[in-house]
Amino acid sequence: MGQTLLVAYAYDNFDINFKTHLPTVEKIHDTLVHLTSGVLIHLEHGVTIEDLRCSEELWKKSYINPQAQPSDIPPMRTHEDLESLHPEPDDPSGLTRRQRYISWKFQCDLFDCGPQYFRKFKSEIGLPEWVEKVPVVKMRHAPARAMDINQSKIAGNIRAVANLMDQGGVGDPDEGMEEDSEYERDVVDMREFVILFHGDLGTFERVLGILQRRALESTAYRRYQFIVFLMGLFHLKMACADAIWRIFIEPKAARVDVNSLLQFVAQHRPRQTGKIGSNPGFRIMHEVIGNTGVSLRLDAWRVEARKRNAAWISLEAFAASKPSLTLIEEMANTLAINYVAGYEANVFKLRGQAAASRDVQHENILIMHQYFLLYEEISFAMNHGDIGRLETLFPTWIYLFKATGKHKYAAQMTKFMTDVHFVYPEGLKYVYSVYKVSYKVSHTDVHSGERYGITLWLIPRAKKGHSEVLTGSKNPTTSSLRCAVISSVLG
């Protein structure tokens, strides 16, 4: 598979603790071993080898190339250049693309979680329009042998990349050979091509470190100029959840208001407020955003219904009147416009009013609606492979990351997207467009229905296999032998 050059490589670290029952003088070393797992993913969607034949072209444009001509280096771009990637089409409803998604989400929550009457409409609303959707295809992949490498440092990543290239059977045929030798290494020559590597933000930073350190080397292979990195979108989603935690829960002053997020959390997770207030982790925060968001949107339905008819004092009373789908859609559009900050509900204008006439709690709820719906929309785009919608959300999340101190994510998202749209040739740009989302939507869990990507399915699947092999009573005694055992199972 690797020698076709139509593959991407994903790798990540994993740790195994080889505990001993009785410590002895001979076994006083650290029992925690740091290893690296990897996987090769075949490039689908009609990607050809010519799409990847651009290594030298990118090197000429690279700002780390000491011999690059200033005229060849593209001008610096910012996140503001990303805001016009997908122009907004006119819509008969008068709503923006984001407002139409919000209206759809309000309807979904009512049909899924509201009174039973509304269930019958669930099959009639469909899905929001696609901005640029990646088609779903069957993914072919092959696990790589586990590597006795700690990739927490730049040197470890250099070794990991070289090891994966060896396992893929590609490289520079002249590397390591005598200058006038008649022999060549038994590898497929990849010097003209780029190779995709996938990982999290930490891996991304270390790979950039490799490129900067090796920029003075004499050959393309030694410079590692073939590396083109794919940003892990699931880790981006984790960063989005953390940004919301930093906005609504981390500040002590944000917990005082009776309509604060932590106060809402206390209603449905009363025993977890301490953990959520200190270090909730992604899974809990993901559920907090989802559950609280649905509750707030259902309450918005209740408020709007009562405004329209004083007899509709609850959602049950509203359902008893048997409203039509047309009325529900019209009300959902109103909710999208007036109950979410950023549109008719202009928070800046509201904050400019006299203190006596302001409703600060209402302003906070408008913002909470807005940020929760941004999280729901980026999750929707990832889960359904709508790369266009995802790209429309990047600038907004970059602003939020900067505001919450997540500057690394803001910087890497900006670099990632500006490189794709303003630096890479069309062939590589196409590869990116179909694979930066594909790595998020590769597998659906049969129990939870959640869709997971490479880092949440293929890599942990390999890690689980490693651990199961190595946690028996007859563990090998050296890490090299441990890797040999793993290799025999996964190779």
Side-chain angles (χ1 to χ4, degrees):
M1 180 184 288
Q3 293 189 334
T4 67
L5 298 178
L6 293 174
V7 296
Y9 296 83
Y11 69 96
D12 199 3
N13 67 294
F14 72 100
D15 302 327
I16 297 179
N17 191 6
F18 293 91
K19 298 179 180 179
T20 56
H21 294 288
L22 181 63
T24 63
V25 174
E26 294 80 9
K27 298 180 180 180
I28 59 175
H29 59 277
D30 188 3
T31 60
L32 185 65
V33 178
H34 306 283
L35 306 173
T36 300
S37 60
V39 66
L40 285 69
I41 308 109
H42 195 271
L43 301 180
E44 311 288 350
H45 299 286
V47 174
T48 68
I49 194 170
E50 292 304 317
D51 295 328
L52 305 175
R53 195 191 295 271
C54 56
S55 177
E56 195 61 31
E57 179 181 350
L58 293 182
W59 179 242
K60 289 180 180 179
K61 297 179 179 180
S62 177
Y63 71 93
I64 64 174
N65 181 357
Q67 298 178 340
Q69 298 297 319
S71 59
D72 292 334
I73 300 177
M76 292 293 293
R77 301 281 186 163
T78 69
H79 56 275
E80 295 178 356
D81 296 302
L82 305 176
E83 296 180 359
S84 58
L85 292 179
H86 299 277
E88 186 79 39
D90 294 330
D91 190 82
S93 67
L95 301 181
T96 66
R97 182 189 291 129
R98 186 136 302 136
Q99 286 176 321
R100 294 195 295 276
Y101 170 81
I102 292 172
S103 174
W104 174 83
K105 184 60 178 171
F106 268 104
Q107 293 178 66
C108 281
D109 291 338
L110 180 66
F111 300 158
D112 288 335
C113 306
Q116 186 65 35
Y117 168 78
F118 297 108
R119 300 289 188 277
K120 67 180 183 179
F121 298 119
K122 187 175 179 179
S123 60
E124 299 184 36
I125 61 168
L127 293 171
E129 77 273 20
W130 307 120
V131 180
E132 184 183 343
K133 190 177 185 300
V134 178
V136 177
V137 298
K138 183 177 180 179
M139 183 180 63
R140 291 176 286 172
H141 65 93
R145 294 189 302 272
M147 295 163 275
D148 188 7
I149 297 172
N150 181 359
Q151 54 112 191
S152 62
K153 304 293 183 183
I154 292 179
N157 281 264
I158 293 175
R159 293 176 58 204
V161 170
N163 191 298
L164 286 170
M165 299 288 286
D166 288 341
Q167 293 190 50
V170 297
D172 182 349
D174 298 330
E175 182 67 23
M177 306 299 293
E178 296 284 345
E179 184 174 349
D180 298 325
S181 174
E182 58 181 302
Y183 302 102
E184 289 184 345
R185 296 173 62 211
D186 186 20
V187 294
V188 171
D189 191 349
M190 41 62 66
R191 287 173 290 187
E192 297 181 4
F193 304 92
V194 296
I195 296 178
L196 306 184
F197 282 83
H198 176 83
D200 57 19
L201 177 63
T203 304
F204 191 10
E205 290 180 330
R206 291 188 285 273
V207 168
L208 289 178
I210 295 174
L211 301 180
Q212 292 168 355
R213 291 187 180 190
R214 293 296 188 99
L216 294 175
E217 293 288 348
S218 59
T219 68
Y221 184 79
R222 292 181 182 179
R223 287 192 296 266
Y224 284 74
Q225 74 179 44
F226 55 85
I227 293 179
V228 172
F229 204 83
L230 287 169
M231 184 177 66
L233 291 181
F234 180 78
H235 292 87
L236 172 61
K237 185 175 178 179
M238 293 174 67
C240 294
D242 183 63
I244 289 178
W245 179 84
R246 293 188 183 197
I247 293 170
F248 293 109
I249 295 180
E250 183 181 30
K252 301 297 182 183
R255 308 178 183 186
V256 178
D257 185 359
V258 294
N259 284 328
S260 67
L261 180 55
L262 196 62
Q263 295 285 347
F264 292 148
V265 168
Q267 302 299 314
H268 58 88
R269 291 175 178 262
R271 298 184 180 181
Q272 292 184 302
T273 53
K275 180 175 180 59
I276 293 172
S278 57
N279 184 26
F282 167 71
R283 175 51 59 186
I284 292 178
M285 197 62 204
H286 173 75
E287 293 176 353
V288 164
I289 295 169
N291 295 339
T292 308
V294 170
S295 300
L296 289 174
R297 289 188 286 275
L298 289 177
D299 189 61
W301 275 106
R302 179 190 62 81
V303 173
E304 179 62 21
R306 190 166 185 176
K307 280 185 179 180
R308 293 175 178 245
N309 190 328
W312 296 343
I313 60 175
S314 65
L315 288 181
E316 287 72 18
F318 178 45
S321 68
K322 298 184 177 180
S324 66
L325 182 59
T326 302
L327 174 61
I328 293 171
E329 290 175 344
E330 190 268 321
M331 290 178 67
N333 291 344
T334 300
L335 292 171
I337 295 172
N338 298 306
Y339 286 72
V340 181
Y343 303 102
E344 295 300 321
N346 190 321
V347 174
F348 298 102
K349 184 177 179 180
L350 294 173
R351 287 175 174 174
Q353 296 176 351
S357 60
R358 285 182 61 187
D359 185 346
V360 180
Q361 291 182 342
H362 176 60
E363 294 170 13
N364 291 341
I365 292 297
L366 292 176
I367 296 173
M368 197 177 295
H369 272 301
Q370 182 187 32
Y371 292 173
F372 284 9
L373 284 163
L374 284 172
Y375 182 83
E376 295 289 351
E377 188 173 4
I378 200 169
S379 298
F380 173 87
M382 290 180 184
N383 290 345
H384 290 82
D386 190 350
I387 181 60
R389 183 178 296 276
L390 183 68
E391 291 182 339
T392 66
L393 289 158
F394 268 34
T396 304
W397 279 107
I398 287 172
Y399 287 120
L400 288 175
F401 287 158
K402 288 185 174 183
T404 54
K406 300 182 75 66
H407 298 290
K408 285 186 177 181
Y409 265 101
Q412 297 303 343
M413 288 171 69
T414 302
K415 174 175 172 52
F416 176 79
M417 289 298 297
T418 55
D419 281 352
V420 170
H421 290 280
F422 305 111
V423 177
Y424 295 156
E426 287 301 316
L428 185 57
K429 181 178 176 180
Y430 169 74
V431 177
Y432 255 90
S433 69
V434 296
Y435 275 95
K436 58 190 169 187
V437 170
S438 295
Y439 287 150
K440 174 66 182 72
V441 296
S442 58
H443 174 64
T444 303
D445 187 273
V446 295
H447 300 293
S448 66
E450 290 283 341
R451 304 191 78 177
Y452 299 112
I454 292 299
T455 54
L456 273 225
W457 179 50
L458 292 182
I459 294 294
R461 184 181 180 187
K463 292 179 183 178
K464 183 174 184 293
H466 304 341
S467 300
E468 288 176 350
V469 169
L470 298 176
T471 52
S473 59
K474 297 181 180 180
N475 288 331
T477 57
T478 66
S479 58
S480 297
L481 185 53
R482 292 166 193 154
C483 283
V485 173
I486 296 173
S487 300
S488 67
V489 174
L490 297 182

